[in-house]
Amino acid sequence: MVEGLPPDGALARKLTGHHWQHGDFLLADLVDALGQLVTDFRNANKREDAPVQSYPKPVWRPEKPSVKKRRKRKARREAAEARTGYLRIVALATPEHAEKG
């Protein structure tokens, strides 16, 4: 029953985290490539004293939820490592015998 669901249905949007289909990503890639080609053409045919035109920003694309989860996990892991390093430095800087004296 689940196999016949549409690729742009509610379940597919929930699993992918967005409503984009494969064609939407291809179209975004095409727009980015066209922007780069136009920029290359303009730079190749500009006056010698004109500044070089930079590439346009890429078209926005939705992120997969798994990417967001991995980033959050990585941030938590780095925070825990930083905390452990901080506590180790504090322990080295404040020896126990200094507290007793």
Side-chain angles (χ1 to χ4, degrees):
M1 204 163 125
V2 176
E3 292 175 2
L5 291 175
D8 60 344
L11 180 62
R13 286 191 309 269
K14 176 66 177 172
L15 293 175
T16 59
H18 56 79
H19 66 280
W20 280 38
Q21 295 180 4
H22 184 68
D24 298 322
F25 285 101
L26 289 175
L27 184 59
D29 291 341
L30 181 64
V31 169
D32 289 342
L34 185 61
Q36 290 177 354
L37 286 172
V38 168
T39 303
D40 288 339
F41 178 80
R42 288 178 180 166
N43 286 332
N45 295 302
K46 69 178 182 61
R47 291 188 335 255
E48 288 184 23
D49 59 339
V52 175
Q53 185 180 9
S54 60
Y55 285 130
K57 290 185 179 180
V59 173
W60 177 87
R61 291 165 177 81
E63 286 187 354
K64 292 184 178 182
S66 60
V67 173
K68 291 179 184 177
K69 288 180 183 177
R70 274 187 260 139
R71 285 184 185 163
K72 286 183 181 179
R73 260 188 263 134
K74 183 179 177 184
R76 281 195 300 265
R77 186 177 61 245
E78 288 175 351
E81 289 173 2
R83 178 73 179 161
T84 302
Y86 168 76
L87 292 175
R88 185 174 49 82
I89 291 171
V90 168
L92 291 172
T94 56
E96 292 179 6
H97 68 277
E99 293 176 8
K100 294 178 183 178

